[in-house]
Amino acid sequence: MKDRPANPGLLVESQGDEMDMSEAVIVKSSRLKSVVWNDFDRIKKGDTFVAVCRHCKKKLSGSSTSGTSHLRNHLIRCQRRSNHGISQFITSREKKKEATLAITNYVDQGQKKDDVLNLVNIRFDPEQVKEETNNTLSYNFDQRRSRFDLARMIILHGYPLAMVEHVGFRVFVKNLHPLFELVTCNRVETDCLEIYVKEKQKVNELLDKLPGKISLSADMWSATDHLESSYLCLTAHYIDESWQLNKKVLNFMFVDPSHTEDLHAETIMSCLMDWDIDRKLFSMTFDCSSTSDYISLQIRDRLSQNRFLYCNGQLFDVSCAIDLLNLMAQDALEALCNILPKIRESIQHIKQSREGQAKFNEIAEQVKVQSQKLLSLDNPSMWNSTYVMLGAAIEYREAFSLLRENDLGYTACPTEEEWGRTCTITGYLKFLFEVTNVLTKANFSTANIFFPELCDLHLQLMEWSKNSDDYIKSLAFKMRTKFEEYWDKSGLALAVSAMLDPRFKMKLVEYYYPQIYGVVALQRIDDVLNCVKALYNEHSICSPLASIDQGLAWQVGSSSGSLPGSGKDARDRLMGFDKFLHESSQSEGSKSDLDKYLEEPLFPRNVDFNVLNWWKVHTPRYPILSMMARNVLGIPMSKVAPDSAFKTGRKVLDRDWSSLKPATIEALVCSQDWIRSELES
């Protein structure tokens, strides 16, 4: 039966209630194709056909000449059908959580195809959700809006696209709203791509309006089903106009294993130009590897040729500190490769039966073990769990030794020499564990917090290298070599970021460098200070204040072009003169922001100190230095999320998404990041 316009005269809601239905018969017919008949019974009384709503028992015309539009309209108005079960499914906690999912700004049904992207604009209004929940009569079903709601839900929660074709899902949706036209996997994939295009446009506009520079991090992922398949994830890090640290995933690209490092560098450059941020780039953070070093060098040289980088790119190339700590932890565990199996087997031996556990407990009491730690096996893919296992086992070492004497079946006990080395190396892991926790669990993980932690690690490595045991000394040397390679590349950026912490300024550098560098410490301190001054001077030229305060002969609109990352032709041969004129003018005039900042007393140290909030408050006092602080403190010294800080392998793509086309995977991963960050803001 085809839908036809409803005839008001055919409604029998007032009369139909009084009709005698005693001899009525429910009609079953294969001709009733419309989905509305899932909610109506078609009843015949003599020559009259009546449609009875299964929810509120209203009676409407069921004649074949009446169409079904009036039945659809009734379903939308039917209060019993709309309100049934709402209160029991929405708790007060869920209402608050789901309040963020109010969706508005959708286009009309007749809108052009090109305007479909407007459907994905989303505003989260708790009051609107409350109003719609309590007033369902005002709700108008919109197929297109619901379709994009479904696509957005799949993106947000990482559901498989194929869920739209699962029988259980299709039955659920049809029973929830029979007017919704079910979509195919291909259709929802297309909708997800449209959402990606619209969200990308919003991110593009955001990046274009940022008050400062952008730093980038690069991370490698693996596909679940194809371990040889790799993806490169590029993430932008920046401090916005409200002095909040933010990040956005920009690209998630399939990496052909046959490609060389040159091609990888070219691919990244193409992404930067696609986003139009090659001129706005301040730094890049990579893994600690020779391959990453080569790629970053290629990109730095390319940007330096166009004079887009500050300080000739001295602060551009940064390695991930957490990646360094993980590599050092792996070195420590590798040094225990012959002992770890014994400790795991020892724990398994006592836990294989209740009797064995009880016997071991008696032995522990006998040797007066005071530990409250529980013996448990580790997860080899998380090195912190191995550290916890070792820490507990060491405290029971005497009990294990006595168990070996009393239990002939126990043969896995480490020797005294092995226990001694295990104690020393576990101490190294303890230090790495504590540093990792500080750097990943901090309330404000800005670049300034890394310098003191890594300086302490530097000093510890120097001490560990003095161990009398050649085996331990060899391990310490291996770890120290990795650290010094990292320090040579990233140490300057760490020191400059520490200088921009008003609790430390240059004093922290002056405290640590003599301990680290000895007789050449003063030269190293001067290197940091010279970099700070050069960086400040370049930001001074960038600032519109330069043309006002110093009387320089360029306009605000064109002055930004003679600076790193600006739009002016890089062939301007008087850029050096502009810098000279500005520096000489400053030396003849009043004190600069930098001079005032360094001369004033240190800010008191506070556990809950927020360096970004401090710079936000003090921007009027240090207008130029605050520009510099925004860029430097936004450098991602670590690109690892807290929940992945101790993982030993690459991040792995979701199994359901890994089988999709690379373009679809990129759209889903990027859109998910953008939508989630919008929900959290």
Side-chain angles (χ1 to χ4, degrees), residues 56 87 148 176 190 193 218 243 264 318 344 425 447 488 498 549 642:
C56 66
S87 60
F148 277 91
L176 185 68
T190 301
L193 291 173
W243 285 90
H264 290 165
V318 178
R344 292 186 180 115
I425 295 175
D488 288 343
D549 295 341

Side-chain angles (χ1 to χ4, degrees), residues 42 152 170 198 212 283 296 360 408 424 426 433 441 471 516 620:
R42 190 167 185 247
R152 184 175 288 270
R170 297 174 77 86
K198 184 62 179 180
S283 75
S296 61
F360 184 78
L408 297 178
T424 300
T426 302
F433 174 80
K441 300 296 192 295
Y471 188 81
I516 294 172

Side-chain angles (χ1 to χ4, degrees), residues 319-423:
S319 292
C320 175
I322 302 302
D323 185 52
L324 168 72
L325 295 171
N326 280 333
L327 291 175
M328 294 170 66
Q330 290 306 302
D331 287 340
L333 294 177
E334 185 178 339
L336 293 173
C337 62
N338 294 325
I339 305 175
L340 279 172
K342 293 184 178 182
I343 293 178
R344 292 186 180 115
E345 187 177 339
S346 296
I347 296 174
Q348 287 175 328
H349 180 81
I350 66 171
K351 287 186 171 292
Q352 64 185 353
S353 66
R354 292 184 179 180
E355 293 77 9
Q357 180 71 66
K359 181 178 181 180
F360 184 78
N361 291 340
E362 291 177 3
I363 292 175
E365 290 181 9
Q366 186 177 344
V367 296
K368 299 181 180 179
V369 174
Q370 301 297 320
S371 177
Q372 299 298 315
K373 295 179 181 178
L374 298 177
L375 290 169
S376 61
L377 291 174
D378 64 329
N379 175 2
S381 65
M382 300 286 290
W383 70 261
N384 59 323
S385 73
T386 306
Y387 156 68
V388 171
M389 178 188 73
L390 292 173
I394 288 170
E395 297 193 11
Y396 287 91
R397 59 184 291 186
E398 293 185 15
F400 280 118
S401 297
L402 186 56
L403 179 64
R404 178 181 54 190
E405 299 175 5
N406 297 329
D407 187 346
L408 297 178
Y410 173 50
T411 59
C413 185
T415 65
E416 285 302 313
E417 182 183 39
E418 288 174 333
W419 277 121
R421 288 178 176 175
T422 301
C423 288

Side-chain angles (χ1 to χ4, degrees), residues 270-340:
S270 297
C271 292
L272 298 179
M273 290 184 285
D274 175 56
W275 285 97
D276 195 24
I277 60 172
D278 52 319
R279 298 168 182 264
K280 300 189 68 172
L281 203 61
F282 189 80
S283 75
M284 284 198 71
T285 303
F286 288 88
D287 291 328
C288 298
S289 69
S290 56
T291 300
S292 297
D293 291 345
Y294 182 83
I295 294 173
S296 61
L297 181 63
Q298 295 296 308
I299 297 172
R300 186 182 71 178
D301 289 347
R302 176 86 170 268
L303 296 175
S304 295
Q305 289 174 4
N306 296 323
R307 299 185 181 180
F308 291 159
L309 298 179
Y310 284 99
C311 290
N312 296 319
Q314 281 184 284
L315 305 182
F316 175 76
D317 190 7
V318 178
S319 292
C320 175
I322 302 302
D323 185 52
L324 168 72
L325 295 171
N326 280 333
L327 291 175
M328 294 170 66
Q330 290 306 302
D331 287 340
L333 294 177
E334 185 178 339
L336 293 173
C337 62
N338 294 325
I339 305 175
L340 279 172

